[in-house]
Amino acid sequence: MIRKVLIGFICCFFCTTIAVAQEKKDTAYQRLYQRYYQLFGTNQKEKFYQVSAEIQKYYKSRGDLTAYYKMRQNEIFYDTQHGESYKAIKKVHEMLEDMKDDNINHYELVYNTLGAIFETRGNYRMADHYYREAVRNVLPEDTATLVHAYAQLASLKVSREPDKAWEWNERMGALVKKDSPFYKVYLVLKGEIYFFKNEKSNFLQIKKVYDDSTKGSPGYNNYGYQIMDIMQKVFEGKAHEALQLLEGDIPDLPAINRCDFRIQIYDMIGEKNLALKEVNWRRDLRDSLNSDMIFNNINEINAQVGISKLNEKAAKEREMWFFVVILLLLLALGLIVSRYLVRRRYQKRIIKQNEQLEIALSEAKESDRMKSSFIEHVSHEIRTPLNIITGYAQIISNPSFKLNEEQRGMMLQAISQNTVAITDIVNDLLEIAQDESKERYRREDTITINTLCRDLMSDAEKKNDKHLRLSFQTKLPDDYTIKSNESGIDKILRHLLSNALKFTEQGQVELFVHESPDHGCVRFVVTDTGVGIAPEHQEKVFERFYKIDSFKQGFGLGLPMSLKIATLLGGALAIDKGYTTGSRFILTLPKA
């Protein structure tokens, strides 16, 4: 909720602390600091970077590495505020490498910075992960950084999970004093939590504390007064005045967070239709921000790798995959919009309008969450191969690197392999989109079961890089056939075998096929000796985008799509809950 202000606030707070300590010692530094302070909130990037470099050089020459790296962190915050997330991530990696060379352990700065970058990109899951890492790695004596991390976590969750926001905000409150600039941040966050929980009496109490602490205090001590005023007007029944104030200049409140306030206000006054429209507008705004950042990232990559013919080819291929992903995102957005239009088309009576709008609002929020998950998964999958392609391309195109033919060949091979990896990802997305649109599978193929299974195991053996024992067991004669859809069965079994290979480090993977006791169905049983699936995850693995290990490759769509195909073929797909040595999936299909 207050991300951009907090980032600038931390920068200024830290710089002010340093400046006071240096005031009587170095007049030249004071002038440089004042110039830095003035440029931080402007778009004069070239001048800001020049002054920032001079301050960093100043601290490096004095051997004050803690101050030096915090100034580098502030520069990365500046890049993030101005939408240059790709440049910011590069600087984070450079700072991490320099920390290793300088043998200094301030990784909480790196994690805090990564959290701010991912939050700006709309990736709240990764932002939450890195803010928590910052909390775990901060030094006990560095109270300012710990307070900052608590404030970021509370702000991240205030409109989505106000109870969790409360926990982080109270941790921050326990560390700040009433005369600290952060005390106002603590009070405003507390007021926002009460607002999003619709607790009027608690809000009015904290508003009184806020007003008492603000009397006669200029500058940052008046932080958040516009937000508090807006929330107070809503509780006083002046929602329309609050909505008008939201249209004004409020530095503490970015555009996307204003949507959260409007949605909450509309909910509180019973305007469900307007709340639904605001949810859709917020989703479009977030898409626009994501698209702008992605375009900036691609443009910077193209500028770096466009030196040689090889780099030009890699850039063109990357652009092509990027546009494919954009088309898929537009397709997903189109499907969501079409569903809403269909739902609204079937609204029958005015008397049921409020109830139907409640349902539509809830589903709109869920669709926004699923689309966000889709964007996160796609970004996660393509980031690693893109980084490898970019890194090797920069090395090859840089004349200062002296490479022999073997090294050059190795890098070109890595670029080619990762280009193929991106191609496979896009092909998987296209296949998922194709299967998602299907409502039936024609069961017109005559399938020889043993032949199909042996072919699948042969292909699995080619991917068996862990040297697992693969076996195929059958109780069916070789001429045994069923009437179904060969492509659909092939997709299900390939995914089950692929998962078994991926999550098994040692042991075996077995495919067993037999006829069910009533002779009406055929069962395909895929068994492995891998990590297995805990009971609390066994039902959830069939939900879209659900992944037990979020850092494993994949979109979390394979099992849900396999279950859908099995159902369309008249069969079923289930986990054997009694098997605990690994995982066992059972596919049951009718003979005809």
Side-chain angles (χ1 to χ4, degrees):
M1 184 65 64
I2 51 175
R3 178 69 59 244
K4 295 182 180 179
V5 174
L6 280 176
I7 290 173
F9 184 86
I10 288 297
C11 172
C12 297
F13 179 80
F14 173 71
C15 291
T16 302
T17 304
I18 297 174
V20 170
Q22 298 293 333
E23 183 174 1
K24 297 181 179 180
K25 299 180 181 180
D26 196 334
T27 305
Y29 170 81
Q30 285 299 299
R31 289 195 296 268
L32 191 64
Y33 159 72
Q34 292 295 337
R35 182 60 174 155
Y36 179 86
Y37 178 83
Q38 294 167 358
L39 290 171
F40 187 84
T42 71
N43 287 321
Q44 301 179 48
K45 297 181 181 180
E46 185 175 349
K47 293 181 179 179
F48 172 79
Y49 291 135
Q50 181 180 354
V51 175
S52 177
E54 291 180 22
I55 293 181
Q56 291 175 33
K57 182 179 178 181
Y58 173 85
Y59 283 114
K60 193 71 177 287
S61 66
R62 297 172 63 90
D64 190 347
L65 293 181
T66 298
Y68 166 71
Y69 281 110
K70 285 193 175 183
M71 296 309 297
R72 289 182 63 174
Q73 180 192 32
N74 289 340
E75 184 174 305
I76 296 170
F77 285 152
Y78 181 87
D79 293 332
T80 303
Q81 285 181 325
H82 290 81
E84 298 185 11
S85 56
Y86 175 78
K87 181 188 293 184
I89 290 176
K90 280 184 60 179
K91 289 183 179 180
V92 169
H93 288 296
E94 291 171 359
M95 186 168 71
L96 184 59
E97 292 300 320
D98 291 344
M99 280 184 179
K100 293 177 182 178
D101 294 339
D102 291 334
N103 195 26
I104 183 172
N105 183 5
H106 276 303
Y107 297 128
E108 74 280 359
L109 300 179
V110 175
Y111 291 130
N112 235 339
T113 307
L114 285 171
I117 293 171
F118 279 107
E119 182 179 357
T120 303
R121 295 167 69 115
N123 191 334
Y124 297 122
R125 180 178 63 84
M126 294 300 292
D128 178 79
H129 168 75
Y130 283 116
Y131 287 145
R132 289 173 183 269
E133 286 299 313
V135 171
R136 281 191 284 268
N137 285 271
V138 67
L139 298 176
E141 63 272 15
D142 193 355
T143 304
T145 301
L146 187 60
V147 167
H148 184 201
Y150 286 160
Q152 297 286 45
L153 280 164
S155 172
L156 184 70
K157 297 177 180 295
V158 69
S159 65
R160 299 169 184 80
E161 301 174 279
D163 289 332
K164 291 185 179 180
W166 174 273
E167 296 176 8
W168 291 113
N169 195 45
E170 287 305 304
R171 293 189 188 184
M172 177 180 68
L175 296 177
V176 299
K177 299 179 181 179
K178 290 188 177 182
D179 59 349
S180 165
F182 269 105
Y183 185 63
K184 284 296 182 297
V185 177
Y186 165 72
L187 293 177
V188 173
L189 274 170
K190 202 167 186 178
E192 291 179 10
I193 292 169
Y194 286 138
F195 176 74
F196 282 98
K197 294 179 71 174
N198 197 7
E199 297 180 3
K200 179 179 179 180
S201 60
N202 288 332
F203 171 82
L204 294 178
Q205 291 178 12
I206 204 66
K207 178 63 165 58
K208 185 177 185 306
V209 175
Y210 174 86
D211 291 339
D212 291 342
S213 64
T214 305
K215 291 177 181 178
S217 299
Y220 274 111
N221 281 345
N222 284 331
Y223 163 77
Y225 75 93
Q226 292 171 294
I227 297 175
M228 297 293 277
D229 187 38
I230 288 170
M231 294 187 291
Q232 182 177 12
K233 287 186 181 298
V234 176
F235 282 121
E236 291 175 348
K238 302 176 183 178
H240 293 292
E241 291 184 24
L243 290 169
Q244 289 178 354
L245 291 176
L246 277 173
E247 301 301 323
D249 181 20
I250 308 177
D252 306 342
L253 204 60
I256 197 164
N257 300 126
R258 299 188 192 205
C259 294
D260 294 327
F261 266 88
R262 281 191 285 265
I263 292 169
Q264 179 67 9
I265 293 172
Y266 289 140
D267 273 342
M268 290 170 68
I269 64 177
E271 294 286 353
K272 306 300 181 183
N273 195 14
L274 294 176
L276 176 61
K277 290 182 179 179
E278 193 65 31
V279 168
N280 292 332
W281 192 89
R282 182 189 184 281
R283 182 189 60 227
D284 294 339
L285 175 61
R286 183 176 171 185
D287 288 342
S288 175
L289 293 174
N290 286 333
S291 298
D292 289 344
M293 285 185 285
I294 292 174
F295 274 113
N296 289 337
N297 294 350
I298 293 297
N299 287 336
E300 290 186 29
I301 292 173
N302 291 342
Q304 293 183 31
V305 301
I307 300 174
S308 66
K309 291 183 179 180
L310 177 63
N311 293 341
E312 291 175 0
K313 181 179 179 181
K316 289 179 181 178
E317 290 176 351
R318 200 155 41 249
E319 284 185 2
M320 181 180 67
W321 305 137
F322 163 73
F323 285 116
V324 169
V325 172
I326 290 297
L327 289 174
L328 288 173
L329 294 177
L330 291 175
L331 174 62
L333 182 61
L335 289 173
I336 294 172
V337 172
S338 67
R339 287 179 182 177
Y340 289 136
L341 293 176
V342 169
R343 291 190 185 96
R344 296 186 65 178
R345 195 177 299 133
Y346 284 96
Q347 291 179 344
K348 295 180 179 180
R349 297 180 182 180
I350 296 177
I351 195 172
K352 294 183 179 180
Q353 185 177 20
N354 283 340
E355 179 183 354
Q356 292 175 341
L357 285 172
E358 286 276 7
I359 296 172
L361 176 60
S362 175
E363 291 178 346
K365 291 178 179 179
E366 176 63 16
S367 297
D368 188 38
R369 183 194 67 77
M370 291 187 65
K371 187 171 68 60
S372 298
S373 296
F374 179 78
I375 294 172
E376 290 176 9
H377 281 81
V378 171
S379 300
H380 177 73
E381 292 299 319
I382 67 174
R383 187 181 299 116
T384 299
L386 274 179
N387 286 341
I388 292 174
I389 292 172
T390 302
Y392 281 144
Q394 289 175 333
I395 293 174
I396 292 173
S397 62
N398 192 333
S400 63
F401 288 99
K402 305 300 182 182
L403 302 175
N404 57 39
E405 289 303 317
E406 181 180 355
Q407 291 172 327
R408 186 179 296 274
M410 180 274 291
M411 293 181 184
L412 290 174
Q413 183 181 7
I415 291 173
S416 176
Q417 289 173 345
N418 282 276
T419 301
V420 172
I422 296 177
T423 304
D424 291 340
I425 290 171
V426 175
N427 288 336
D428 288 343
L429 290 173
L430 292 172
E431 185 173 335
I432 289 169
Q434 181 182 7
D435 286 337
E436 172 68 18
S437 65
K438 286 188 177 180
E439 295 300 331
R440 62 189 295 265
Y441 270 80
R442 295 181 180 275
R443 290 184 274 174
E444 300 176 348
D445 300 332
T446 300
I447 307 168
T448 304
I449 297 299
N450 288 346
T451 301
L452 173 64
C453 291
R454 289 190 180 102
D455 290 342
L456 287 170
M457 294 302 292
S458 176
D459 290 343
E461 189 63 63
K462 296 175 183 178
K463 300 178 181 179
N464 183 18
D465 56 356
K466 301 174 185 176
H467 303 294
L468 305 173
R469 294 190 303 277
L470 304 187
S471 65
F472 167 58
Q473 304 292 332
T474 179
K475 287 190 175 182
L476 304 177
D478 282 346
D479 60 351
Y480 187 92
T481 61
I482 65 172
K483 200 75 171 180
S484 188
N485 185 287
E486 186 169 2
S487 173
I489 299 175
D490 183 274
K491 286 180 181 179
I492 298 173
L493 292 177
R494 282 186 187 277
H495 182 76
L496 295 179
L497 289 169
S498 176
N499 272 3
L501 291 172
K502 184 191 302 184
F503 294 103
T504 302
E505 294 299 326
Q506 59 183 358
Q508 67 175 3
V509 174
E510 179 187 83
L511 172 59
F512 172 57
V513 59
H514 68 98
E515 194 174 55
S516 62
D518 59 3
H519 301 287
C521 297
V522 177
R523 288 180 179 167
F524 301 81
V525 183
V526 178
T527 305
D528 63 58
T529 57
V531 296
I533 301 174
E536 63 268 21
H537 297 296
Q538 289 181 355
E539 294 299 329
K540 295 182 179 180
V541 294
F542 290 106
E543 297 177 4
R544 293 183 181 183
F545 304 116
Y546 187 84
K547 295 169 66 177
I548 298 175
D549 185 348
S550 55
F551 292 97
K552 279 283 188 180
Q553 184 179 6
F555 298 107
L557 291 171
L559 285 175
M561 292 307 304
S562 297
L563 176 61
K564 178 178 178 180
I565 295 172
T567 304
L568 293 177
L569 293 177
L573 178 62
I575 300 175
D576 183 353
K577 298 181 180 179
Y579 179 73
T580 58
T581 309
S583 298
R584 175 176 288 159
F585 286 85
I586 302 174
L587 170 65
T588 305
L589 295 174
K591 293 173 61 177

